[in-house]
């Protein structure tokens, strides 16, 4: 990898040098009595809490180290600014996280989501005062129906996993309405996202794992062997988590339908199909969308997200309430749906996220969405073939089949030198890249799942290839570098096993003593 003449150390690759300031915990800053707020006197007589609140609910006087940090405003601002500078996000550089796609979030999405009529819309607005937000939601539902080839949609689920739950509950409701009982089993491929079996189990189903063929896709014959009158449906991701298109999806759908089941599509990888193929045309009955993966909204990460669900026409009656309907030129909310599985979230979902996805779809249009898919697949295939090459490090693929938006490599080449997938991932941090998804899917030993997305430039992809090539060389010549990585960020390699098994979740003045007892 070549250096750069304007960096202090030209031997280091991009993204590995800069000013990173040490920062203690906020509890270790400040001094007693210091405050960042200036509040006027209260306008009512002060009352001793002990006179109004039972003693069992009072904490009493705080001991040393307890209570809130006592810090000035600049201390607070500097603390969180410094902490934020340690972070790595999609705005920092390539984020090649396969499966849980990390897309660039266009700033126009943010601008639209901050318009006063959107940002300040109150969920208790009367329908006549909320026509704009309702129209936005209705249009987004219609767009998702058009993209998926399905007939009706709800925006309510707050994340992809909750969308899955909605989908499986709809399958259950349909089975009860159609066959008089929910049936007891759901088929799930071995390469599925972990949320698929978890959701099925949460909804009361037994999970039956089905294996893919040697080429990496599920065969209809395998599904046929697993079908019986207890199978309520199948959950498929297409393309699957290996990045491989499920070539027998139509035949699989026929098998499941003939057996009285429904076909659910995990839409996590819709960004490999959008504008080119529609799950509804393949025999899919219902699916969820991860708006952050395909429509460039920020990743929820446990915060506000959205996992809309689309269904074929005869399943519409089971969708969560309230439903947005259009009557003439007006929009209103409808709750009179006796067969609905009920509400999954307060109000109408995370509206700010929906506004961002709506903007993305309107901004790109049909041609732009199609182009985004083409670029995502082009970038992923280019990266795959570069990493397969000798120049890119000759990284071995888990499956040789053609892939779409992501590829899964193994650590077979570096393992011979005592280097693991985790070592590779940590070393990438030293070169200024976020690690890819590792050790998933579980059907691949030492998996490295890599997805560049459509917005990365050829130069950016080549820089990543150069880093992977250097890591492959280091694995042969100096594996100790990988074992010690990362060494260039603010924090070097952490003991993840100890952090998971013996977590210290609350700071106290004695925390250093606790750490020392745990071994430093």
């Amino acid at each position: 990898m070549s250096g750069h003449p304007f960096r202090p150390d030209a031997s280091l690759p991009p993204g590995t040098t800069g000013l990173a300031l040490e920062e203690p915990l906020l509890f270790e800053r400040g001094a007693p009595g210091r405050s960042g707020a200036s509040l006027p006197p209260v306008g009512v007589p002060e009352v001793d809490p002990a006179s109004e609140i039972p003693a069992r609910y009072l904490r009493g006087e705080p001991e040393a180290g307890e209570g809130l940090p006592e810090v000035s405003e600049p201390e607070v601002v500097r603390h969180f600014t410094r902490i934020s500078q340690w972070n790595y996000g999609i705005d920092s550089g390539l984020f090649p996280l396969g499966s849980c796609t990390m897309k660039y979030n266009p700033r126009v999405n943010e601008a639209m989501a901050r318009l006063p009529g959107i940002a300040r819309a109150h969920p208790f607005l009367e329908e006549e005062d909320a026509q704009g937000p309702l129209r936005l939601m209705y249009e987004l539902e219609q767009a998702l129906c058009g993209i998926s080839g399905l007939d009706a949609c709800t925006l309510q689920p707050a994340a992809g996993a909750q969308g899955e739950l909605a989908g499986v509950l709809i399958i259950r409701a349909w089975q009860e309405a159609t066959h008089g009982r929910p049936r007891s089993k759901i088929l799930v491929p071995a390469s599925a996202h972990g949320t698929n079996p978890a959701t099925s189990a949460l909804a009361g189903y037994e999970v039956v794992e089905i294996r893919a063929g040697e080429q990496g896709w599920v065969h209809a014959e395998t599904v046929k062997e697993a079908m019986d009158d207890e199978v309520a449906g199948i959950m498929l991701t297409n393309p699957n988590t290996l990045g491989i298109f499920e070539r027998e999806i139509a035949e699989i759908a026929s098998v499941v339908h003939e057996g009285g089941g429904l076909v659910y599509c995990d839409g996590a990888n819709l960004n490999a199909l959008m504008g080119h193929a529609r799950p509804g045309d393949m025999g899919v009955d219902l699916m969820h969308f991860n708006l952050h993966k395909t429509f460039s909204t920020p990743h929820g990460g446990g915060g506000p997200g959205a996992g809309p669900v689309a269904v074929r026409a005869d399943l519409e009656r089971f969708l969560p309430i309230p439903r947005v309907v259009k009557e003439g030129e007006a929009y209103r909310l409808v709750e009179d749906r006796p067969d609905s599985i009920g509400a999954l979230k307060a109000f109408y979902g995370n509206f700010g996220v929906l506004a961002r996805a709506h903007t993305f779809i309107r901004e790109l249009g049909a041609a732009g969405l199609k182009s985004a898919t083409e670029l995502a697949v082009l970038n992923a295939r280019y990266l795959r073939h570069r990493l397969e090459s000798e120049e890119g490090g000759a990284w071995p693929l888990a499956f040789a089949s053609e892939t779409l938006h992501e590829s899964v490599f193994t650590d077979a080449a570096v393992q011979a030198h005592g280097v693991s997938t985790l070592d590779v991932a940590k070393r990438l941090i030293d070169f200024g890249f976020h690690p890819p998804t590792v050790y998933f899917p579980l059907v691949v030993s030492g998996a490295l799942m890599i997805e560049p997305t459509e917005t990365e430039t050829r130069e950016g992809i080549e820089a990543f290839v150069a880093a992977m090539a250097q890591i492959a060389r280091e694995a042969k010549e100096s594996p100790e570098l990988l074992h010690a990585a990362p060494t260039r960020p603010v924090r070097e390699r952490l003991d993840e096993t100890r952090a998971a098994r013996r977590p210290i979740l609350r700071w106290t003045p004695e925390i250093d003593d606790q750490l020392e007892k745990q071994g430093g």
Side-chain angles (χ1 to χ4, degrees), residues 103 105 109 291-293 295-299 353-354 356-357:
K103 282 188 128 175
N105 309 142
N109 294 2
L291 294 190
H292 72 280
K293 295 184 180 182
F295 301 103
S296 78
T297 66
H299 191 285
V353 178
L354 306 180
R356 289 170 172 83

Side-chain angles (χ1 to χ4, degrees), residues 393-413:
W395 293 89
L397 278 163
F399 291 86
S401 301
E402 281 298 328
T403 48
L404 293 175
H405 66 299
E406 64 189 4
S407 301
V408 178
F409 296 85
T410 78
D411 62 356

Side-chain angles (χ1 to χ4, degrees), residues 149-439:
L150 293 166
D151 305 301
C153 180
T154 176
L155 307 175
Q156 195 175 111
Q162 196 177 35
E164 289 180 30
L165 179 61
V168 177
L169 291 177
I170 290 170
I171 292 175
R172 189 179 187 89
W174 181 84
Q175 288 288 357
E176 289 177 334
T178 305
H179 297 126
R181 60 190 181 91
R183 296 193 170 185
S184 62
K185 297 188 287 190
I186 294 280
L187 307 182
V188 179
S191 64
H193 296 98
T195 49
N196 290 179
T199 300
S200 301
L202 186 64
Y205 282 106
E206 174 191 351
V207 177
V208 178
E209 183 180 281
I210 53 176
R211 309 291 295 186
E214 293 182 356
Q215 299 88 355
W217 63 81
V218 174
H219 294 286
E221 191 61 31
T222 306
V223 176
K224 190 173 184 179
E225 292 171 0
M227 280 299 298
D228 58 32
D229 60 5
E230 285 299 326
V231 174
I234 186 171
M235 298 184 81
L236 271 178
T237 306
N238 197 17
N240 61 32
T241 59
L242 297 164
I244 298 172
F245 186 78
E246 291 288 352
R247 301 185 181 196
E248 299 185 23
I249 179 67
E251 293 86 348
I252 290 172
S254 295
V255 168
V256 175
H257 289 155
E258 288 170 7
L262 294 179
V263 179
Y264 182 93
C265 178
D266 180 329
N269 296 338
L270 182 65
N271 56 324
L273 303 178
M274 180 174 58
H276 284 268
R278 306 193 305 174
D281 297 335
M282 304 174 196
V284 166
D285 301 302
L286 67 171
M287 67 174 293
H288 80 264
F289 309 82
N290 301 82
L291 294 190
H292 72 280
K293 295 184 180 182
T294 305
F295 301 103
S296 78
T297 66
H299 191 285
V309 174
V311 299
R312 69 187 196 200
D314 64 316
L315 298 177
E316 192 273 342
R317 62 188 174 120
F318 301 111
L319 287 174
I321 52 173
R323 304 274 301 124
V324 182
V325 298
K326 183 179 182 182
E327 295 179 347
E329 295 302 315
Y331 302 87
R332 70 186 187 93
L333 296 168
V334 174
E335 298 204 14
D336 184 19
R337 291 286 194 276
D339 294 327
S340 167
I341 62 170
L344 286 174
K345 187 178 187 311
F347 305 115
Y348 327 111
N350 287 315
F351 182 65
V353 178
L354 306 180
R356 289 170 172 83
H358 181 267
T359 302
F360 181 76
I361 293 172
R362 292 288 300 271
E363 177 76 9
L364 266 64
L369 295 176
K370 185 177 181 181
S371 177
T373 297
E374 292 166 356
L375 289 172
V377 174
L378 175 64
N379 277 354
R381 285 186 166 178
Y382 179 80
L383 178 55
R384 166 189 163 162
H385 291 295
R386 293 287 290 130
L387 292 178
E388 281 185 292
S389 69
E390 288 295 329
E391 187 181 2
W395 293 89
L397 278 163
F399 291 86
S401 301
E402 281 298 328
T403 48
L404 293 175
H405 66 299
E406 64 189 4
S407 301
V408 178
F409 296 85
T410 78
D411 62 356
V414 297
Q415 202 175 45
H417 309 288
V419 172
S420 68
T421 289
L422 187 64
D423 294 331
V424 175
K426 297 296 185 185
R427 187 58 172 156
L428 274 170
I429 298 173
D430 279 336
F431 293 120
F433 294 105
H434 192 283
T437 297
V438 295
Y439 298 111

Side-chain angles (χ1 to χ4, degrees), residues 75-122:
E75 285 180 301
V76 173
V77 172
R78 288 171 182 168
H79 173 78
F80 287 106
T81 300
R82 291 183 176 194
I83 293 293
S84 71
Q85 291 168 341
W86 293 5
N87 201 7
Y88 187 99
I90 191 65
D91 292 342
S92 307
L94 180 63
F95 208 117
L97 205 61
S99 197
C100 288
T101 311
M102 291 295 176
K103 282 188 128 175
Y104 173 70
N105 309 142
R107 292 300 180 267
V108 66
N109 294 2
E110 301 303 315
M112 294 300 103
R114 284 167 172 73
L115 289 174
I118 292 177
R120 298 178 185 173
H122 195 283

